[in-house]
């Protein structure tokens, strides 16, 4: 790609791209072009042998076109420079009075874009190109800081009450911008001159570099069907399972093995391919390695050559090869292994040869689970797991102490005790990068294999992945917090934000990384979200290595001396060991710092100097930070670029009014406990806020205006104590005597999560609630009227939590077709609740129900038996007369977990529970059974894995009949 233009001609908007390669241009835009049916699209060739693609649209189609163009840009252009380019284009009108300086900077940035389009792809082939890219990225970041700071200061100046002051302010800052752009433009000129002098441009146009790189990668990825593995441990179960599936006549056609690079997918496939039963069952066997660069004809030729040795495939046309393979597969049984397939489109290219023929089986291996599911939606892929401790020790012994040659393996050298300790401490680094090892060629293969997964990521996912290098080893990373780190940095892909929240977009990114087997995470069974994630040790070493190579983030570990070096990265993560002291003013000295995270840090004191020194920060996590006298310095208001701020668990008791300058905040966490916090009216200008967590204990004089927070998605700890009021919308006061239905947060149209701890005798009607609300938590509301008739009409609600005294009435009704999306319901401490009516058809997909300390509730409702999707039931602390109705068959057969605590059952519950064939976990605790005898009958509980008895004081006898499918592991108490 050489150049791009955006213009308005005859009321038609046009976006155009140029390239010297027709094939490259068509290939790059093929996927997106299918989606631009409403636009005119023209491909032409100019007199200078440059191919030109032009996409035009009318003004009415502008919004859709802009979204698609943003998608093209994210997919094709280097991330940071494109973000700066979009900023300069979007904000052109804001640079009145400094047009000349601004246009000069914009043109310079455009030159860098043109360079980076080709350079990013070729950086691995030339150290010189890599160095140039690093220099350019630093320039781009500095330019972005200058432009954004100017815009924000201008916005602050315009909000001044005096128009004279505002004009003077803007004029002064415009002069400041003109002064600041000169050194940036000089640096751009220098790097371009260096590129010319050093011949960087010649490197980029010389295809030999890329050809050599592609050949090397193709050779490295090539796999073969020969079984040459000497040391195999822990594969036996998966081998037998796959062989059995492939031999079954009525089994699906496509099977698969997925997992991270290097986990053993190809080895497992090779063992299956060479298994004696497979060879005997399938007369036709073919193995082909696809990888990332391949031609369909070559793949088909390779398959045919192995199925029919006598065929001369070299002279066949593609359609001839296809026809021949189909005829072969119709006449004999065959197993075809497609090894290392990367993309869904690759399968679509290959699959025409695989007609639905009964005797033909296909075995895929892929790092990307999405590819497998695309090939077979019903596929349950085999996922090789890491070895157990015993298996790892067995494998180590085979390699380190070979039977035939005790001097070989790891022990071919004599190491001292100190050297062995060093090996132990750095074993993962040595394995992945080969550093400090004589087997560097072998070890770098490990890195190269894992690195392929990283290089295959789109730009935004590369940044998401590298961000994980900020966290300590084995750290379970909170996905909600991580999602706002990503959003504040602007590294979440905008193509996913079509009506989705930041949290939902982050879930999409985590899911993509999980499916590519680069991140370990599972959707929570109760929320269906990715709540935490972490990295496999080997993949983490790749992440750290790439982060260091890209200068993406620097980590300061107070327990490691070698990490306490001058930080030149724009991101800094501080990990503080317990008992270690940290002097932030001494350690953090980079004025260009954009992100500062204090991870698992104990108290350290933030001074006014700290904020003054770090004015360009976008992300600042000050959890557990101390402030002198509990006063947050007013200099925090100078961090006008800030998008993320957390003061969670700090000792802050007084926030400065200057915090109102932080207009770009997306995330503000003020969950400060147990201190009483004085909070000025600082929120009304923070129009970009998506998540707001208020202090749990606000000063009685606090008045907050929040009506402007129209983009808010999550509001936490919103409460009034002893009738205190918060001014929220239109300056209405909501007090204990006000029954106004208009409410106070209902116009937050993007709000998805709401936590309320406020006195309000009744809920407003459903039309006053945010239309996208998915989660609501109520506490201390003292609702006199049943909230269910209103809440059940909020069609997007997925989770409801009614906590202590949120409802003071005696009866709840859930009507037919109510709560169509509800998945989790939790009722806790509802002291007056006696009766619950559930009609058939209510809560059709509810899977989790918790009832605790509702002592007047008489029984589970009749309609409970209609909630057939219920999987998790917990009932605790109920009254003496509570009836669980076990004998009436009200418990759904889909239950997987049941926990009873303080629910006095007089009859043995086991005869009923053991018939629930999906049960995996049972917990009977503290007086949940007051009888003396429990009997587990023959063949009961076929899937039970955990059984817990605790505090059953009357239990004397437990009988387990022979041949019971006992739980494993089994943990009675």
């Amino acid at each position: 790609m050489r150049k791009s233009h955006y213009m308005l001609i005859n009321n038609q908007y046009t976006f155009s791209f140029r390239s010297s390669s027709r094939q490259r241009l068509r290939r790059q835009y093929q996927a997106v072009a299918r989606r631009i049916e409403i636009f005119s699209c023209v491909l032409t060739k100019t007199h200078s042998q440059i191919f030109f693609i032009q996409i035009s649209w009318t003004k009415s189609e502008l919004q859709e076109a802009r979204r698609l163009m943003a998608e093209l840009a994210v997919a094709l252009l280097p991330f940071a420079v494109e973000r700066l380019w979009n900023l300069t284009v979007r904000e052109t009108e804001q640079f009145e009075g400094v047009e000349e300086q601004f246009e000069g900077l914009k043109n310079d940035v455009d030159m860098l874009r043109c360079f980076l389009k080709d350079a990013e792809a070729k950086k691995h082939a030339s150290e010189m190109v890599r160095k140039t890219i690093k220099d350019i990225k630093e320039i781009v970041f500095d330019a972005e800081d200058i432009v954004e700071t100017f815009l924000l200061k201008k916005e602050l100046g315009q909000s001044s009450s005096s128009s004279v002051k505002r004009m003077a302010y803007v004029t002064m800052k415009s002069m400041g911008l003109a002064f600041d752009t000169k050194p940036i433009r000089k640096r751009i000129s220098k790097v371009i001159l260096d590129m010319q002098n050093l011949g960087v441009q010649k490197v980029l146009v010389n295809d030999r570099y890329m050809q050599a790189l592609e050949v090397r990668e193709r050779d490295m990825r090539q796999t073969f069907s020969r079984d040459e593995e000497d040391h195999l441990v822990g594969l036996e179960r998966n081998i037998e399972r796959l062989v059995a599936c492939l031999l079954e006549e009525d089994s699906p056609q496509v099977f698969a093995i997925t997992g991270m690079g290097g986990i053993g997918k190809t080895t497992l496939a090779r063992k299956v391919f060479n298994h004696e039963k497979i060879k005997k069952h399938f007369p036709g066997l073919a193995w082909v390695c696809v990888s990332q660069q391949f031609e369909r004809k070559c793949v088909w030729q390779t398959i045919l050559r192995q199925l029919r040795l006598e065929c001369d495939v070299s002279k066949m046309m593609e359609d001839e090869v296809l026809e021949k393979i189909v005829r072969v597969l119709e006449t004999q049984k065959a197993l075809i292994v497609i090894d290392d397939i990367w993309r869904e489109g690759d399968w679509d290219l290959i699959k025409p040869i695989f007609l639905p023929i009964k005797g033909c089986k296909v075995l895929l291996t892929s790092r990307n689970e999405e590819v497998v599911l695309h090939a077979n939606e019903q596929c349950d892929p085999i996922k090789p797991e890491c070895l157990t401790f015993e298996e790892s020790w067995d494998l180590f012994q085979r390699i380190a102490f070979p039977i035939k040659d005790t001097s070989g393996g790891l022990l071919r050298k004599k190491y001292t005790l100190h050297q062995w300790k060093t090996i132990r401490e750095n074993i993962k680094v040595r394995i992945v990068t080969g550093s400090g090892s004589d087997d560097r060629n072998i070890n770098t293969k490990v890195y190269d294999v894992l690195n392929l997964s990283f290089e295959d990521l789109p730009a935004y996912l590369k940044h998401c992945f590298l961000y994980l290098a900020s966290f300590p080893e084995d750290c379970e990373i909170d996905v909600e917090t991580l999602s706002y780190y990503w959003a504040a940095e602007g590294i979440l892909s905008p193509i996913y934000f079509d009506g989705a929240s930041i949290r939902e977009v982050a879930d999409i990114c985590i899911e993509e990384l999980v499916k590519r087997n680069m991140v370990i995470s599972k959707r929570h069974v109760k929320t269906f979200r990715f709540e935490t994630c972490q990295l496999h040790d080997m993949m983490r070493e790749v992440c750290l290595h790439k982060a260091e190579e890209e200068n993406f983030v620097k980590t300061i570990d107070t327990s490691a001396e070698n990490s306490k070096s001058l930080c030149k990265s724009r991101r800094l993560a501080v990990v503080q060991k317990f008992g270690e002291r940290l002097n932030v003013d001494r350690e953090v000295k980079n004025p260009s710092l954009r992100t500062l995270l204090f991870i698992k840090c104990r108290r350290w004191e933030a001074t006014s100097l700290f904020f003054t020194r770090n004015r360009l920060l976008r992300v600042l996590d000050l959890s557990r930070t101390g402030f002198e006298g509990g006063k947050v310095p007013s200099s925090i208001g100078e961090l006008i670029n800030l998008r993320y701020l957390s003061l969670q668990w700090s000792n802050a008791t007084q926030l400065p009014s200057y915090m109102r300058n932080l207009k770009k905040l997306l995330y503000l966490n003020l969950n400060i406990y147990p201190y009483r916090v004085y909070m000025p009216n600082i929120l009304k200008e923070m129009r970009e806020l998506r998540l707001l967590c208020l202090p749990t204990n606000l000063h009685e004089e606090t008045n907050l205006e929040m009506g402007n927070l129209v983009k808010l998605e999550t509001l936490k700890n919103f409460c009034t104590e002893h009738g205190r009021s918060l001014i929220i919308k239109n300056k209405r006061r909501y007090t204990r005597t006000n029954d106004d239905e208009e409410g106070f947060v209902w116009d937050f149209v993007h709000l998805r999560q709401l936590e309320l701890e406020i006195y309000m005798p009744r809920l407003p009607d459903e039309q006053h609630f945010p239309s996208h609300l998915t989660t609501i938590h109520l506490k201390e509301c003292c609702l006199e009227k049943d909230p269910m008739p209103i809440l059940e009409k909020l069609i997007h609600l997925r989770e409801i939590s009614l906590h202590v005294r949120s409802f003071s009435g005696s009866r709840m009704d859930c009507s037919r077709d109510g709560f169509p999306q509800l998945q989790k319901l939790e009722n806790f401490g509802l002291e007056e609740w006696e009766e619950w009516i559930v009609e058939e058809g209510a809560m059709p997909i509810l899977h989790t129900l918790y009832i605790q300390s509702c002592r007047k509730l008489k029984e589970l409702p009749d309609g409970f038996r209609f909630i057939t999707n219920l999987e998790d039931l917990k009932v605790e602390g109920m009254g003496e007369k509570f009836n669980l109705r076990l004998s009436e068959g009200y418990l759904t057969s889909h239950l997987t977990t049941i926990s009873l605590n303080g629910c006095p059952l007089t009859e043995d519950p086991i005869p009923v529970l053991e018939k629930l064939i999906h049960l995996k976990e049972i917990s009977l605790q503290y007086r949940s059974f007051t009888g003396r005898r429990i009997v587990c009958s023959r063949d009961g509980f076929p899937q039970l894995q955990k059984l817990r008895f605790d505090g059953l004081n009357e239990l004397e006898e437990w009988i387990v009949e022979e041949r019971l499918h006992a739980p494993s592991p089994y943990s009675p108490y």
Side-chain angles (χ1 to χ4, degrees):
M1 302 294 293
R2 296 294 181 84
K3 191 75 171 176
S4 60
H5 295 283
Y6 175 68
M7 63 192 80
L8 175 62
I9 304 175
N10 297 330
N11 203 36
Q12 281 225 330
Y13 292 84
T14 298
F15 203 95
S16 57
F17 301 87
R18 294 192 298 167
S19 174
S20 59
S21 168
R22 179 196 295 264
Q23 184 178 5
R24 179 189 299 174
L25 195 62
R26 277 184 167 156
R27 184 172 65 249
Q28 289 173 330
Y29 288 97
Q30 186 178 18
V32 180
R34 299 191 194 102
R35 301 168 58 183
I36 315 182
E37 297 174 356
I38 61 173
F39 312 136
S40 63
C41 184
V42 182
L43 177 66
T44 58
K45 182 179 179 182
T46 68
H47 65 279
S48 56
Q49 303 299 310
I50 296 295
F51 293 97
F52 184 86
I53 188 168
Q54 184 174 13
I55 303 170
S56 302
W57 58 90
T58 64
K59 193 168 185 178
S60 63
E61 301 163 341
L62 178 59
Q63 184 175 2
E64 175 67 8
R66 278 178 172 166
R67 188 181 66 80
L68 288 170
M69 291 306 106
E71 184 171 340
L72 293 175
V74 169
L76 301 175
L77 300 178
F79 194 81
V81 71
E82 191 60 27
R83 187 173 58 195
L84 173 59
W85 172 255
N86 290 336
L87 175 64
T88 57
V89 171
R90 186 176 65 248
E91 303 292 350
T92 299
E93 296 178 357
Q94 300 296 323
F95 289 85
E96 184 179 354
V98 289
E99 293 92 340
E100 184 178 347
Q101 297 90 336
F102 174 71
E103 285 298 323
L105 176 62
K106 192 164 75 169
N107 291 335
D108 289 345
V109 171
D110 196 24
M111 291 182 67
L112 298 183
R113 291 170 74 233
C114 296
F115 163 76
L116 282 180
K117 290 171 191 175
D118 283 332
E120 190 76 10
K122 299 186 178 182
K123 65 180 180 180
H124 302 290
S126 169
E127 185 65 36
M128 181 168 52
V129 175
R130 283 199 295 267
K131 171 65 167 60
T132 305
I133 289 177
K134 284 186 178 181
D135 293 342
I136 290 176
K137 285 182 177 178
E138 288 301 310
I139 293 173
V140 167
F141 283 134
D142 288 339
E144 187 179 27
D145 288 337
I146 290 171
V147 172
E148 286 198 341
T149 301
F150 169 79
L151 292 171
L152 288 168
K153 287 186 175 180
K154 181 179 179 183
E155 183 180 347
L156 288 172
Q158 288 174 337
S159 64
S160 170
S161 59
S162 170
S163 59
V164 176
K165 287 183 179 180
R166 181 164 65 249
M167 182 64 69
Y169 186 89
V170 173
T171 303
M172 179 183 67
K173 292 305 172 185
S174 298
M175 294 173 61
L177 178 70
F179 173 78
D180 283 340
T181 58
K182 289 180 180 178
I184 285 290
R185 296 192 61 193
K186 187 178 293 185
R187 287 166 61 190
I188 295 176
S189 299
K190 182 180 183 303
V191 78
I192 293 174
L193 182 62
D194 289 344
M195 287 162 48
Q196 295 169 347
N197 293 337
L198 296 173
V200 174
Q201 296 284 32
K202 293 181 180 179
V203 171
L204 295 179
V205 298
N206 189 342
D207 285 340
R208 287 183 302 167
Y209 286 90
M210 285 305 294
Q211 290 171 359
L213 179 62
E214 289 176 1
V215 169
R216 175 177 174 272
E217 289 185 353
R218 188 163 55 246
D219 291 344
M220 183 177 63
R221 298 173 184 178
Q222 187 64 43
T223 63
F224 303 95
S225 62
R226 294 190 300 274
D227 190 359
E228 299 175 345
E229 299 289 345
D230 295 326
H231 308 292
L232 292 177
V233 175
L235 294 180
E236 295 81 5
R237 291 187 302 275
N238 284 335
I239 291 173
E240 294 305 318
R241 177 183 168 190
L242 263 176
V243 169
C245 290
L246 290 168
L247 295 181
E248 188 179 334
E249 293 292 340
D250 296 328
S251 63
Q253 185 178 44
V254 179
F255 293 87
I257 307 169
T258 62
M260 64 178 281
I263 197 70
K265 301 182 297 296
T266 298
T267 300
L268 176 57
R270 189 181 289 124
K271 280 293 179 182
V272 171
F273 186 84
N274 289 284
H275 198 280
E276 288 302 321
K277 291 183 180 179
I278 294 292
K279 290 180 179 179
K280 185 177 180 180
H281 185 81
F282 294 102
L285 292 169
W287 178 289
V288 60
C289 179
V290 175
S291 290
Q292 287 174 302
Q293 290 90 28
F294 76 96
E295 293 183 11
R296 176 167 69 176
K297 181 181 177 181
C298 292
V299 171
W300 287 354
Q301 286 176 330
T302 302
I303 293 173
L304 181 57
R305 189 181 294 115
Q306 296 177 63
L307 294 176
R308 284 288 184 269
L309 298 177
E310 70 277 6
C311 281
D312 183 7
V313 299
S314 60
K315 297 179 181 179
M316 289 185 180
M317 301 296 289
E318 189 176 88
D319 58 342
E320 293 180 87
V321 180
L322 170 61
E323 185 179 349
K324 187 71 172 178
I325 293 176
V326 171
R327 284 207 302 267
V328 171
L329 296 180
E330 287 175 337
T331 58
Q332 70 174 30
K333 294 180 179 180
L335 170 63
I336 300 173
V337 175
I338 309 293
D339 188 35
D340 198 25
I341 185 168
W342 283 72
R343 299 180 184 87
E344 298 167 43
D346 297 346
W347 169 253
D348 292 335
L349 287 173
I350 298 171
K351 72 177 181 180
I353 64 173
F354 302 119
L355 299 180
I357 302 170
K358 197 169 185 179
C360 176
K361 302 292 183 182
V362 182
L363 178 58
L364 306 178
T365 75
S366 179
R367 303 179 187 209
N368 192 342
E369 191 174 326
E370 197 68 32
V371 176
V372 171
L373 295 176
H374 179 70
N376 178 8
E377 292 182 357
Q378 306 302 320
C379 185
D380 182 16
I382 299 287
K383 299 178 180 179
E385 298 179 353
C386 296
L387 300 181
T388 64
F389 177 83
E390 292 77 13
E391 291 169 337
S392 301
W393 178 243
D394 182 14
L395 182 60
F396 174 79
Q397 287 178 305
R398 294 189 190 189
I399 298 174
F401 309 107
I403 298 174
K404 295 181 180 179
D405 181 11
T406 55
S407 63
L410 186 65
L411 301 183
R412 66 184 180 274
K413 278 191 172 185
K414 293 183 178 180
Y415 291 105
T416 66
L417 178 61
H418 175 73
Q419 288 172 322
W420 274 114
K421 288 182 177 179
T422 303
I423 290 173
R424 184 190 66 180
E425 292 170 359
N426 299 280
I427 187 69
K428 282 172 287 193
V429 178
R430 292 165 64 92
I431 290 173
V432 173
T433 65
S435 57
S437 171
D438 293 334
D439 292 331
R440 184 169 179 82
N441 289 335
I442 297 175
N443 292 337
T444 53
K445 287 182 181 179
V446 177
Y447 174 79
D448 288 339
V449 166
L450 297 176
N451 186 52
L452 291 175
S453 297
F454 174 80
E455 295 300 337
D456 190 56
L457 294 174
Y460 71 94
L461 275 183
K462 285 182 179 178
H463 286 71
C464 290
F465 178 73
L466 291 180
Y467 219 96
L468 304 181
S470 307
F471 300 91
E473 185 177 9
D474 299 326
C475 175
E476 288 198 353
I477 304 164
D478 181 73
V479 172
E480 181 178 69
T481 301
L482 181 66
S483 67
Y484 285 96
Y485 287 161
W486 287 345
E489 293 260 16
I491 61 178
L492 287 175
S493 176
I495 65 175
Y496 293 126
F497 274 105
D498 187 14
S501 68
I502 286 175
R503 184 67 173 80
E504 290 166 343
V505 174
D507 257 20
I508 294 172
C509 295
I510 291 290
E511 183 175 38
E512 185 69 23
L513 291 171
V514 168
K515 286 181 177 179
R516 291 170 180 262
N517 290 284
M518 298 185 69
V519 166
I520 302 171
S521 184
K522 289 184 179 180
R523 290 191 181 274
H524 197 278
V525 294
K526 297 171 184 175
T527 65
F528 287 107
R529 286 179 170 173
F530 294 104
E531 299 296 340
T532 62
C533 68
Q534 58 187 135
L535 289 171
H536 183 279
D537 289 345
M538 296 296 101
M539 193 57 77
R540 181 173 182 271
E541 293 301 327
V542 173
C543 184
L544 294 177
H545 187 79
K546 295 300 296 186
E548 181 180 5
E549 183 181 286
E550 300 282 341
N551 196 26
F552 189 85
V553 63
K554 171 70 177 177
T555 301
I556 292 182
D557 188 341
T558 59
S559 64
E561 288 297 325
N562 58 358
S563 73
K564 298 180 182 179
S565 58
L566 183 64
C567 174
K568 295 182 180 179
S569 174
R570 293 174 185 267
R571 298 180 183 89
L572 178 62
V574 181
V575 181
Q576 185 181 6
K577 186 178 179 182
F578 181 75
E580 292 278 347
R581 300 291 298 176
L582 178 67
N583 188 323
V584 175
D585 290 336
R586 186 181 68 229
E587 298 289 346
V588 183
K589 295 182 179 179
N590 182 2
S592 299
L593 203 62
R594 287 184 167 210
T595 296
L596 181 56
L597 309 177
F598 292 93
I599 300 172
K600 295 186 176 180
C601 288
R602 297 290 174 179
R603 282 282 165 82
W604 63 274
E605 193 165 290
T607 64
S608 179
L609 178 62
F610 166 78
F611 298 112
T612 305
R613 277 183 173 178
N614 299 284
R615 295 179 178 177
L616 298 178
L617 281 168
R618 265 89 168 157
V619 177
L620 181 58
D621 196 327
L622 295 177
S623 300
R624 299 184 177 88
T625 303
F627 300 96
E628 185 177 357
K631 294 183 179 180
V632 178
S634 60
S635 55
I636 195 174
E638 297 181 27
L639 309 183
I640 59 175
N641 292 289
L642 212 56
R643 269 75 168 171
Y644 180 106
L645 176 62
S646 176
L647 299 178
Q648 185 174 215
W649 305 318
S650 70
N651 73 334
T653 57
Q654 185 171 341
L655 306 180
S657 59
Y658 285 98
M659 282 183 65
R660 64 169 57 97
N661 291 342
L662 310 181
K663 295 186 175 185
K664 294 298 180 182
L665 278 177
L666 300 173
Y667 178 102
L668 179 59
N669 191 338
L670 302 174
N671 186 21
I672 301 165
Y673 180 84
Y675 306 100
R676 175 164 291 186
V677 180
Y678 173 73
M679 186 175 175
N681 189 16
I682 58 177
L683 298 175
K684 61 180 180 180
E685 296 300 325
M686 298 181 182
R687 299 172 185 265
E688 302 297 321
L689 269 179
R690 303 303 202 277
L691 184 146
L692 172 62
C693 184
L694 292 166
T696 56
N697 192 356
L698 279 168
H699 195 276
E700 58 269 12
E701 296 181 3
T702 299
N703 286 316
L704 299 176
E705 295 180 61
M706 299 166 61
N708 291 337
L709 309 186
V710 295
K711 295 183 180 180
L712 201 64
E713 296 170 354
T714 301
L715 175 62
K716 297 182 179 182
N717 292 345
F718 180 73
C719 64
T720 58
E721 185 178 5
H722 308 304
R724 297 188 188 115
S725 64
L726 293 180
I727 302 176
I728 304 298
K729 188 174 189 309
N730 298 329
K731 297 186 179 179
R732 293 182 182 273
R733 291 180 178 271
Y734 206 86
T735 67
R736 296 179 67 95
T737 58
N738 190 350
D739 286 341
D740 185 4
E741 289 188 356
E742 291 296 324
F744 35 74
V745 296
W746 320 130
D747 284 343
F748 297 165
V749 293
H750 295 284
L751 197 68
R752 284 168 166 78
Q753 300 180 42
L754 176 62
E755 296 183 14
L756 288 178
E757 186 178 342
I758 178 174
Y759 177 83
M760 44 190 280
R762 62 182 176 136
L763 288 177
D765 290 338
E766 66 274 6
Q767 62 264 27
H768 294 299
F769 277 88
S771 59
H772 296 287
L773 200 65
T774 63
T775 304
I776 186 167
H777 292 241
L778 303 179
K779 183 178 180 181
E780 304 282 359
C781 299
C782 299
L783 291 167
E784 297 172 0
K785 289 190 175 182
D786 178 10
M788 294 304 183
I790 292 172
L791 295 180
E792 68 183 5
K793 295 174 185 175
L794 304 179
I795 60 173
H796 297 293
L797 263 186
R798 295 200 293 260
E799 181 176 336
I800 296 175
S801 179
L802 302 179
H803 270 229
V804 180
R805 289 183 292 280
S806 57
F807 172 53
S808 58
S810 61
R811 172 169 164 159
M812 277 188 194
D813 287 83
C814 298
S815 61
R816 182 186 300 269
D817 299 327
F819 298 113
Q821 300 284 339
L822 193 66
Q823 299 169 7
K824 180 179 178 181
L825 175 61
E826 182 177 288
N827 293 334
F828 171 71
L830 307 183
E831 297 175 350
E832 303 301 321
W833 184 31
E834 298 180 11
E835 186 179 7
W836 188 15
I837 305 297
V838 175
E839 295 183 2
E840 184 177 359
M843 302 180 284
I845 64 173
L846 186 75
H847 66 76
T848 300
L849 174 63
Y850 294 168
I851 304 175
Q852 183 176 352
S853 300
C854 301
R855 298 186 178 278
K856 290 187 178 181
L857 185 64
K858 300 174 184 177
E859 61 185 8
L860 287 180
D862 289 338
F864 194 75
R865 63 183 184 273
F866 301 121
I867 306 176
T868 57
N869 287 291
L870 193 68
E871 296 180 5
D872 187 0
L873 174 64
K874 180 185 290 187
V875 183
E876 299 183 356
M878 307 301 285
E880 293 290 332
K881 297 181 179 181
F882 177 73
N883 183 8
L884 192 59
R885 307 181 80 164
L886 281 179
S887 60
E888 299 177 49
Y890 279 14
L891 297 185
T892 172
S893 62
H894 286 82
L895 271 180
T896 61
T897 303
I898 184 167
S899 177
L900 305 178
N901 188 334
C903 306
L905 300 174
T906 56
E907 295 184 7
D908 180 6
I910 298 300
V912 175
L913 297 180
E914 67 185 2
K915 295 176 184 177
L916 304 177
I917 61 173
H918 297 290
L919 263 184
K920 295 180 180 179
E921 182 174 342
I922 297 176
S923 177
L924 301 178
Q925 300 182 66
Y926 183 64
R927 293 179 56 77
S928 55
F929 174 55
T930 57
R932 297 183 177 183
R933 187 172 187 248
I934 285 179
V935 179
C936 297
S937 62
R938 178 173 302 183
D939 294 332
F941 299 120
Q943 297 198 50
L944 195 64
Q945 298 173 2
K946 184 176 181 180
L947 175 62
R948 178 174 181 174
F949 297 156
D950 185 9
L952 307 183
N953 298 333
E954 305 300 323
L955 183 62
E956 297 178 356
E957 186 179 9
W958 181 20
I959 298 175
V960 179
E961 293 185 358
E962 187 180 359
R963 288 173 51 195
L964 172 71
H965 291 179
S968 177
Y970 202 90
S971 53
Y973 289 87

